[in-house]
Amino acid sequence: MSFNTSSFVGKLIELNTSQQSIQTLSTWAIHHRRSAQQIVDIWFQQLTKSPKDRKLLFMYLGNDIIQNSKRKGNEFTQEFSRVLPDALSHTYKAAVDDMKTIKQIDRILSIWKERGIFGKEFIEKLQSYRPQGLRSEDSVITSPNKRIRSNSDSAPDADTVIRSLINLERSSALQDNRIKQVFTTLPNEVWNPTTVEKITDRKRLESLLKSVDKSYDILSQHRIRLQNEFHERNKVAAMLKEFVMHQKEQLRNVETRLSEYQGKLSKVQAVRAQLQAHLESLPDLSSTSLEPLPETGNGTRLQP
C-alpha cells in the first residue's frame, strides 16, 4: 500500500503513550521510508499544532523512527536532521515550566549522543535550545571510577517509576501470542529446503512465498519490538536503581533527623521532670489555713 497523507495524520491523532502504539506507528512509517520527506514534514507540522501534553509523545515517535530506521537506510536520519532544530526549539519552549518533559527530552538527546545517531556538534546545537538556567540531564560530578548525578533532584518520583513499569508490562513483546501462531501456520515445506526445491507448481511456490513474506514482516516487527523493549527495560532498570539510591539517601536523612529529634525530646523530658519535681517541692499555699488574730481588751479583734 502506498503512503497516504491523511492516513498518517489520522494515525498521529490516534497515537497514545503506550510503547506498543509508538512502535506500531514507527514500524508503519519505516515501511513507507520512500516517503520519508513527507512523513517528517507532517510529523513536524502536527508536533507544532499539538497540545503541550502531547509534544513529548511526538518526540518519542521521532526517536523510535530515527533509531530503528538506520538499519534500512539514512533517509529518516537526513530528513529529521532538517527539522529537528526547529522541533527542539519549539518543544523546549512549550515545556519551559515542565521539568519532567525537559528531562525526558534531555534523555533522548543523550541517547542520540551515546549511540552516535547524530554528530556531536549537531547534538550540541539541539541542546542549545534548552531553557537557560536549568540543569541538564548530562550534568554530573565525575570521579576517577564512576559518574554520579549532581544531586538527588534528578531521581525519578514514585509515580514515574510505577507508570513506566505498568507501560512496560502492558506493551511487552513477550506477551505477543501472534508469534507462536506465525510458526504454527507456516507450511511444513518452509522448514525443509529440500522439499521446497522439489515443488514445480508455480502457484504453490507463489503461495508459499506470500506466506513467508507475511511471516517475515511480522517477525521483523517483533524483532524491532524486542530490541526496543530491551532498551526500555535497561532504562527502567537504571531508573529503579536511581530510585532505590534516592530512597536509601532519604532513609539516611530520616535516620539522622530521628536521632536529632530523639535527643531534643530527651532534653525536653529532662526539663519537664525537673520542673515537675521543683513544683512538687514547693508548699501548697492553697491548702494552708491562717490562725485568727487575738482579741483586744474591749472585745474587738485586731485588724491585720
Side-chain angles (χ1 to χ4, degrees):
M1 181 182 292
S2 60
F3 174 76
N4 182 280
T5 299
S6 59
S7 175
F8 183 47
V9 172
K11 292 178 184 295
L12 288 173
I13 293 173
E14 295 174 357
L15 184 67
N16 61 58
T17 56
S18 72
Q19 187 177 0
Q20 184 172 0
S21 177
I22 294 170
Q23 290 175 349
T24 299
L25 185 49
S26 171
T27 302
W28 183 90
I30 294 171
H31 178 73
H32 294 284
R33 61 187 179 279
R34 291 182 180 178
S35 302
Q37 182 178 349
Q38 288 177 272
I39 290 173
V40 172
D41 285 342
I42 294 171
W43 172 87
F44 178 63
Q45 291 169 7
Q46 295 301 311
L47 166 69
T48 57
K49 293 178 182 178
S50 65
K52 287 184 179 181
D53 59 353
R54 283 182 62 83
K55 295 187 187 298
L56 182 60
L57 179 57
F58 276 80
M59 291 302 302
Y60 285 153
L61 175 63
N63 173 55
D64 203 279
I65 295 173
I66 289 169
Q67 292 202 58
N68 290 306
S69 65
K70 285 184 71 66
R71 302 180 184 90
K72 298 189 176 183
N74 294 320
E75 298 96 336
F76 279 107
T77 306
Q78 294 173 358
E79 293 299 334
F80 270 105
S81 64
R82 176 173 52 85
V83 303
L84 276 175
D86 289 336
L88 265 294
S89 176
H90 171 83
T91 307
Y92 268 135
K93 286 178 182 177
V96 67
D97 297 322
D98 185 354
M99 195 59 200
K100 285 185 179 180
T101 296
I102 290 176
K103 285 183 177 180
Q104 291 303 315
I105 300 172
D106 289 345
R107 188 181 295 275
I108 291 173
L109 296 182
S110 295
I111 291 172
W112 290 351
K113 184 177 182 179
E114 291 170 3
R115 298 180 183 175
I117 304 296
F118 295 105
K120 180 180 178 181
E121 291 183 2
F122 184 70
I123 295 295
E124 290 175 351
K125 179 181 179 180
L126 297 180
Q127 290 173 331
S128 70
Y129 295 109
R130 194 178 194 277
Q132 298 298 315
L134 297 175
R135 189 176 62 82
S136 172
E137 182 73 15
D138 288 336
S139 177
V140 294
I141 299 173
T142 56
S143 67
N145 299 322
K146 60 182 179 180
R147 301 168 72 225
I148 306 173
R149 294 187 182 278
S150 59
N151 58 52
S152 60
D153 291 341
S154 63
D157 56 45
D159 287 341
T160 301
V161 173
I162 293 171
R163 188 167 57 252
S164 298
L165 287 170
I166 291 174
N167 289 338
L168 191 60
E169 294 306 318
R170 281 179 178 174
S171 60
S172 176
L174 298 175
Q175 308 301 324
D176 192 346
N177 293 323
R178 292 184 309 160
I179 302 304
K180 295 180 181 178
Q181 295 174 358
V182 168
F183 291 110
T184 56
T185 56
L186 279 173
N188 293 330
E189 293 90 338
V190 172
W191 308 110
N192 191 340
T194 305
T195 305
V196 172
E197 291 176 359
K198 294 179 180 180
I199 298 175
T200 58
D201 187 347
R202 184 177 183 84
K203 289 184 178 181
R204 177 60 178 161
L205 286 171
E206 289 176 348
S207 177
L208 282 174
L209 181 59
K210 187 177 180 180
S211 297
V212 171
D213 283 344
K214 182 179 179 180
S215 300
Y216 177 82
D217 289 339
I218 294 174
L219 292 173
S220 295
Q221 293 177 20
H222 188 66
R223 184 195 63 178
I224 293 174
R225 286 184 62 195
L226 287 171
Q227 289 173 334
N228 288 335
E229 184 174 336
F230 176 79
H231 293 309
E232 286 300 318
R233 287 192 180 277
N234 269 332
K235 285 165 58 177
V236 171
M239 184 189 301
L240 286 170
K241 182 179 180 181
E242 192 173 7
F243 181 76
V244 171
M245 289 176 62
H246 177 64
Q247 292 305 311
K248 287 182 178 180
E249 181 182 346
Q250 292 294 84
L251 178 62
R252 289 192 294 270
N253 291 339
V254 171
E255 186 178 15
T256 301
R257 186 68 61 87
L258 177 61
S259 176
E260 176 186 343
Y261 278 84
Q262 186 64 46
K264 290 181 178 180
L265 179 61
S266 298
K267 290 181 181 179
V268 171
Q269 286 176 329
V271 172
R272 181 175 179 273
Q274 185 179 2
L275 288 172
Q276 186 69 33
H278 183 57
L279 180 62
E280 292 175 355
S281 69
L282 293 177
D284 187 359
L285 299 179
S286 63
S287 62
T288 303
S289 59
L290 297 176
E291 294 292 333
L293 293 173
E295 295 182 358
T296 60
N298 58 9
T300 60
R301 290 185 182 280
L302 294 174
Q303 299 295 321

PDB file of all heavy atoms in Angstrom, residues 185-197:
ATOM      1  N   THR A 185       1.383 -21.718  11.724  1.00  0.00           N
ATOM      2  CA  THR A 185       0.608 -21.635  10.475  1.00  0.00           C
ATOM      3  C   THR A 185       1.464 -21.752   9.216  1.00  0.00           C
ATOM      4  O   THR A 185       0.931 -21.900   8.117  1.00  0.00           O
ATOM      5  CB  THR A 185      -0.169 -20.302  10.414  1.00  0.00           C
ATOM      6  OG1 THR A 185       0.744 -19.206  10.564  1.00  0.00           O
ATOM      7  CG2 THR A 185      -1.200 -20.227  11.537  1.00  0.00           C
ATOM      8  N   LEU A 186       2.771 -21.662   9.375  1.00  0.00           N
ATOM      9  CA  LEU A 186       3.635 -21.793   8.205  1.00  0.00           C
ATOM     10  C   LEU A 186       3.591 -23.227   7.665  1.00  0.00           C
ATOM     11  O   LEU A 186       3.624 -24.190   8.444  1.00  0.00           O
ATOM     12  CB  LEU A 186       5.074 -21.424   8.561  1.00  0.00           C
ATOM     13  CG  LEU A 186       5.416 -19.936   8.594  1.00  0.00           C
ATOM     14  CD1 LEU A 186       6.830 -19.735   9.119  1.00  0.00           C
ATOM     15  CD2 LEU A 186       5.281 -19.306   7.222  1.00  0.00           C
ATOM     16  N   PRO A 187       3.526 -23.374   6.365  1.00  0.00           N
ATOM     17  CA  PRO A 187       3.523 -24.727   5.768  1.00  0.00           C
ATOM     18  C   PRO A 187       4.804 -25.477   6.113  1.00  0.00           C
ATOM     19  O   PRO A 187       5.869 -24.877   6.295  1.00  0.00           O
ATOM     20  CB  PRO A 187       3.437 -24.440   4.268  1.00  0.00           C
ATOM     21  CG  PRO A 187       2.882 -23.059   4.162  1.00  0.00           C
ATOM     22  CD  PRO A 187       3.388 -22.322   5.351  1.00  0.00           C
ATOM     23  N   ASN A 188       4.700 -26.791   6.161  1.00  0.00           N
ATOM     24  CA  ASN A 188       5.853 -27.621   6.518  1.00  0.00           C
ATOM     25  C   ASN A 188       7.001 -27.472   5.528  1.00  0.00           C
ATOM     26  O   ASN A 188       8.173 -27.631   5.885  1.00  0.00           O
ATOM     27  CB  ASN A 188       5.435 -29.089   6.591  1.00  0.00           C
ATOM     28  CG  ASN A 188       4.468 -29.350   7.741  1.00  0.00           C
ATOM     29  OD1 ASN A 188       4.524 -28.670   8.755  1.00  0.00           O
ATOM     30  ND2 ASN A 188       3.591 -30.330   7.570  1.00  0.00           N
ATOM     31  N   GLU A 189       6.684 -27.183   4.278  1.00  0.00           N
ATOM     32  CA  GLU A 189       7.728 -27.064   3.254  1.00  0.00           C
ATOM     33  C   GLU A 189       8.745 -25.965   3.572  1.00  0.00           C
ATOM     34  O   GLU A 189       9.903 -26.034   3.156  1.00  0.00           O
ATOM     35  CB  GLU A 189       7.103 -26.780   1.880  1.00  0.00           C
ATOM     36  CG  GLU A 189       6.270 -27.924   1.318  1.00  0.00           C
ATOM     37  CD  GLU A 189       4.823 -27.840   1.734  1.00  0.00           C
ATOM     38  OE1 GLU A 189       4.533 -27.184   2.766  1.00  0.00           O
ATOM     39  OE2 GLU A 189       3.992 -28.420   1.030  1.00  0.00           O
ATOM     40  N   VAL A 190       8.280 -24.961   4.314  1.00  0.00           N
ATOM     41  CA  VAL A 190       9.156 -23.824   4.625  1.00  0.00           C
ATOM     42  C   VAL A 190      10.361 -24.270   5.449  1.00  0.00           C
ATOM     43  O   VAL A 190      11.458 -23.735   5.314  1.00  0.00           O
ATOM     44  CB  VAL A 190       8.366 -22.733   5.383  1.00  0.00           C
ATOM     45  CG1 VAL A 190       9.290 -21.630   5.883  1.00  0.00           C
ATOM     46  CG2 VAL A 190       7.277 -22.161   4.484  1.00  0.00           C
ATOM     47  N   TRP A 191      10.156 -25.270   6.296  1.00  0.00           N
ATOM     48  CA  TRP A 191      11.222 -25.700   7.197  1.00  0.00           C
ATOM     49  C   TRP A 191      12.147 -26.741   6.562  1.00  0.00           C
ATOM     50  O   TRP A 191      13.104 -27.174   7.186  1.00  0.00           O
ATOM     51  CB  TRP A 191      10.595 -26.279   8.475  1.00  0.00           C
ATOM     52  CG  TRP A 191       9.594 -25.352   9.097  1.00  0.00           C
ATOM     53  CD1 TRP A 191       8.246 -25.509   9.150  1.00  0.00           C
ATOM     54  CD2 TRP A 191       9.868 -24.102   9.736  1.00  0.00           C
ATOM     55  NE1 TRP A 191       7.652 -24.449   9.769  1.00  0.00           N
ATOM     56  CE2 TRP A 191       8.632 -23.556  10.150  1.00  0.00           C
ATOM     57  CE3 TRP A 191      11.032 -23.377  10.008  1.00  0.00           C
ATOM     58  CZ2 TRP A 191       8.518 -22.346  10.799  1.00  0.00           C
ATOM     59  CZ3 TRP A 191      10.937 -22.164  10.665  1.00  0.00           C
ATOM     60  CH2 TRP A 191       9.698 -21.661  11.049  1.00  0.00           C
ATOM     61  N   ASN A 192      11.844 -27.105   5.345  1.00  0.00           N
ATOM     62  CA  ASN A 192      12.659 -28.129   4.682  1.00  0.00           C
ATOM     63  C   ASN A 192      13.031 -27.658   3.276  1.00  0.00           C
ATOM     64  O   ASN A 192      12.260 -27.816   2.330  1.00  0.00           O
ATOM     65  CB  ASN A 192      11.884 -29.445   4.609  1.00  0.00           C
ATOM     66  CG  ASN A 192      12.771 -30.602   4.185  1.00  0.00           C
ATOM     67  OD1 ASN A 192      13.842 -30.411   3.591  1.00  0.00           O
ATOM     68  ND2 ASN A 192      12.320 -31.819   4.471  1.00  0.00           N
ATOM     69  N   PRO A 193      14.200 -27.031   3.129  1.00  0.00           N
ATOM     70  CA  PRO A 193      14.625 -26.515   1.816  1.00  0.00           C
ATOM     71  C   PRO A 193      14.617 -27.580   0.722  1.00  0.00           C
ATOM     72  O   PRO A 193      14.331 -27.282  -0.445  1.00  0.00           O
ATOM     73  CB  PRO A 193      16.050 -26.023   2.089  1.00  0.00           C
ATOM     74  CG  PRO A 193      16.103 -25.784   3.559  1.00  0.00           C
ATOM     75  CD  PRO A 193      15.198 -26.785   4.175  1.00  0.00           C
ATOM     76  N   THR A 194      14.902 -28.830   1.087  1.00  0.00           N
ATOM     77  CA  THR A 194      14.918 -29.911   0.086  1.00  0.00           C
ATOM     78  C   THR A 194      13.533 -30.114  -0.515  1.00  0.00           C
ATOM     79  O   THR A 194      13.379 -30.305  -1.731  1.00  0.00           O
ATOM     80  CB  THR A 194      15.396 -31.225   0.734  1.00  0.00           C
ATOM     81  OG1 THR A 194      16.663 -31.008   1.348  1.00  0.00           O
ATOM     82  CG2 THR A 194      15.532 -32.315  -0.307  1.00  0.00           C
ATOM     83  N   THR A 195      12.522 -30.031   0.331  1.00  0.00           N
ATOM     84  CA  THR A 195      11.142 -30.188  -0.132  1.00  0.00           C
ATOM     85  C   THR A 195      10.742 -29.038  -1.050  1.00  0.00           C
ATOM     86  O   THR A 195      10.071 -29.234  -2.072  1.00  0.00           O
ATOM     87  CB  THR A 195      10.185 -30.246   1.072  1.00  0.00           C
ATOM     88  OG1 THR A 195      10.594 -31.286   1.953  1.00  0.00           O
ATOM     89  CG2 THR A 195       8.758 -30.492   0.612  1.00  0.00           C
ATOM     90  N   VAL A 196      11.174 -27.824  -0.696  1.00  0.00           N
ATOM     91  CA  VAL A 196      10.847 -26.644  -1.493  1.00  0.00           C
ATOM     92  C   VAL A 196      11.409 -26.779  -2.903  1.00  0.00           C
ATOM     93  O   VAL A 196      10.740 -26.448  -3.898  1.00  0.00           O
ATOM     94  CB  VAL A 196      11.384 -25.356  -0.817  1.00  0.00           C
ATOM     95  CG1 VAL A 196      11.207 -24.161  -1.749  1.00  0.00           C
ATOM     96  CG2 VAL A 196      10.679 -25.112   0.501  1.00  0.00           C
ATOM     97  N   GLU A 197      12.629 -27.288  -3.005  1.00  0.00           N
ATOM     98  CA  GLU A 197      13.283 -27.424  -4.306  1.00  0.00           C
ATOM     99  C   GLU A 197      12.548 -28.412  -5.216  1.00  0.00           C
ATOM    100  O   GLU A 197      12.653 -28.348  -6.444  1.00  0.00           O
ATOM    101  CB  GLU A 197      14.723 -27.880  -4.104  1.00  0.00           C
ATOM    102  CG  GLU A 197      15.608 -26.801  -3.460  1.00  0.00           C
ATOM    103  CD  GLU A 197      17.001 -27.322  -3.173  1.00  0.00           C
ATOM    104  OE1 GLU A 197      17.250 -28.526  -3.458  1.00  0.00           O
ATOM    105  OE2 GLU A 197      17.832 -26.547  -2.671  1.00  0.00           O
TER     106      GLU A 197
END
